[in-house]
Amino acid sequence: MAPSALTPTQRHGGGLALALTLAALPAPAPAAPAKRPAPAAPGATYTLEARTVTGLGAGGMGSAEMMRMVMGGGASSTTSSRSLELRLQGSRVPAEAPKAEHRIPAGLALGTALPLLSSGPSRGTEAPEPLERPKGRLLIFRGCGETAGSGQPEVLDLAKLVPDAQQLAALQGAMGKQGGRGVAREPAAAAITGTWPNGDSQGALAATASLVGDHSVVSNYAPELRFRVEASHDFLAPLQLSASPAGAAWRLSWQPVATVLGYQAMATSAGKGPDELVIWTSSSSGWAGSAIPANLDRRSAAQLIAQKVLLPPEATSCSISAQASAAMAMPVLQVTAYGDPLTVTGPAGATPWRVSLRRESTASRLLMAGMPGADDAAGGEAEPTQPRGFKLFPGLF
């Protein structure tokens, strides 16, 4: 993230608590990749965000379904779903109203084409309502291990992280947008943008939906984009996550997911003190170096693994320290597997264009001893805790 609230070119895990926290934090900056020749500005860019979600949030799970899951009924921590988000940017000026569609393979089971709702460049938005300054403190624990390392937790005063009204407005704007990972977007002052899902359409797909096959994107403001997705770049498999108490700590494990670049785990919770928010992350780096860039590729993933920001593809376990566990009232855990992206560019001599398919698989669950899917054999029953509520953003959360 950049110093001003949320930046779309970086991402962490999802969840309301996490979205609010990340929006307020100072800029974790990803490691600068090795310098490469600057590519020519494309005449069009097309981004596909393919997600597999397991546990909390799967299949459009709402608050009622989540509560049933907490109480032992309804969806389980192994329920999964798939979703797709599409974004086209083109620089041509059409003679009529902009229009675009993505013609899809049969495996997506959504008909023959998805309409991309298209509009010209933004003319600005109304100023948001004033948002009260956050209060409280943020406790950050990091690294895999049943005992927290030295210097933990890192303690941040939230009131000092949002120094002016401009950043508060940016935070409020971010809260109105969908959480989850950011999307790298080309700077194009006159670009026309087309998106799906839109309006009444939904991004949720059948659990067996597939991207494999031939695709084409046809519009009147960008060249025709033709590309093919092979099985190696289909939706990632669901991330099957297990968690069990290990004394006062939590032991996490998961089945490996094919074609991933790495993993990152994060747990968030209200603290047990007044106005406390607690974050634990598998990244061993300090908060300022733990962001994951939206355009993650093999080179940048290797750098982040070396810096212990990402867990390597062969990793299948991690532990939340006893100290972090003790500080959290009712933690929500999310583990994200970042997939190997697919990038396709247009033929030489034609108007340049680029297609980027980004894939991730996430698993989210509450960490409560005795919950369905929690293995209590590794430790005793945990004492129930009463969450106090964050009250970091009065009137909102």
Side-chain angles (χ1 to χ4, degrees):
M1 284 179 289
S4 58
L6 287 177
T7 297
T9 55
Q10 295 178 339
R11 63 185 186 255
H12 278 282
L16 179 56
L18 184 57
L20 290 173
T21 302
L22 298 180
L25 290 178
K35 291 185 177 180
R36 310 178 197 177
T45 60
Y46 192 53
T47 302
L48 302 86
E49 301 280 352
R51 298 185 180 92
T52 305
V53 179
T54 304
L56 295 175
M61 187 188 299
S63 57
E65 288 80 2
M66 290 184 185
M67 183 58 66
R68 283 197 294 272
M69 180 176 172
V70 171
M71 301 303 294
S76 75
S77 60
T78 60
T79 300
S80 67
S81 64
R82 294 177 175 183
S83 68
L84 186 64
E85 293 183 15
L86 310 173
R87 180 182 177 88
L88 172 67
Q89 282 194 309
S91 56
R92 290 180 179 173
V93 179
E96 53 188 17
K99 55 185 178 181
E101 66 176 18
H102 180 161
R103 297 171 185 173
I104 57 176
L108 278 173
L110 290 172
T112 59
L114 302 176
L116 304 178
L117 182 63
S118 303
S119 60
S122 172
R123 301 298 181 185
T125 58
E126 296 181 2
E129 293 293 327
L131 180 65
E132 293 185 49
R133 184 180 300 278
K135 65 177 182 177
R137 62 178 194 160
L138 175 66
L139 280 61
I140 302 173
F141 295 87
R142 58 186 184 273
C144 295
E146 295 183 9
T147 301
S150 61
Q152 297 188 42
E154 181 180 358
V155 181
L156 302 176
D157 183 344
L158 288 175
K160 296 180 180 179
L161 296 178
V162 186
D164 56 38
Q166 182 178 3
Q167 289 200 3
L168 281 171
L171 168 58
Q172 186 176 24
M175 290 172 58
K177 301 176 183 178
Q178 181 174 350
R181 83 189 217 182
V183 178
R185 293 167 184 167
E186 296 293 333
I192 296 175
T193 300
T195 59
W196 186 92
N198 52 69
D200 296 331
S201 63
Q202 300 294 322
L205 312 176
T208 57
S210 174
L211 292 165
V212 174
D214 294 320
H215 298 247
S216 66
V217 181
V218 180
S219 72
N220 61 358
Y221 55 90
E224 183 175 1
L225 317 179
R226 290 182 175 271
F227 59 99
R228 180 172 178 81
V229 176
E230 303 292 348
S232 58
H233 285 95
D234 202 0
F235 286 96
L236 291 176
L239 186 61
Q240 301 298 339
L241 174 65
S242 297
S244 60
W250 279 92
R251 186 174 299 144
L252 317 176
S253 62
W254 56 89
Q255 296 298 315
V257 178
T259 71
V260 302
L261 299 175
Y263 302 88
Q264 193 177 70
M266 186 175 288
T268 61
S269 174
K272 295 182 179 178
D275 299 328
E276 279 186 351
L277 181 61
V278 182
I279 287 181
W280 166 85
T281 171
S282 60
S283 169
S284 295
S285 295
W287 182 257
S290 293
I292 307 297
N295 57 346
L296 186 72
D297 57 17
R298 288 187 179 276
R299 180 180 299 189
S300 56
Q303 291 177 334
L304 294 175
I305 290 170
Q307 295 163 4
K308 297 186 177 181
V309 173
L310 278 178
L311 298 174
E314 61 272 17
T316 58
S317 64
C318 186
S319 293
I320 301 176
S321 68
Q323 291 82 357
S325 301
M328 295 189 282
M330 187 180 291
V332 177
L333 169 68
Q334 179 168 287
V335 179
T336 301
Y338 297 102
D340 182 18
L342 172 66
T343 301
V344 182
T345 56
T351 301
W353 54 264
R354 182 173 67 249
V355 171
S356 299
L357 168 59
R358 302 182 184 128
R359 308 173 302 142
E360 63 183 44
S361 182
T362 63
S364 302
R365 56 172 299 152
L366 289 171
L367 289 181
M368 296 173 61
M371 275 194 63
D375 179 5
D376 297 330
E381 291 187 2
E383 294 185 5
T385 55
Q386 178 64 37
R388 298 175 179 266
F390 299 124
K391 298 182 181 179
L392 300 177
F393 301 89
L396 291 169
F397 196 60

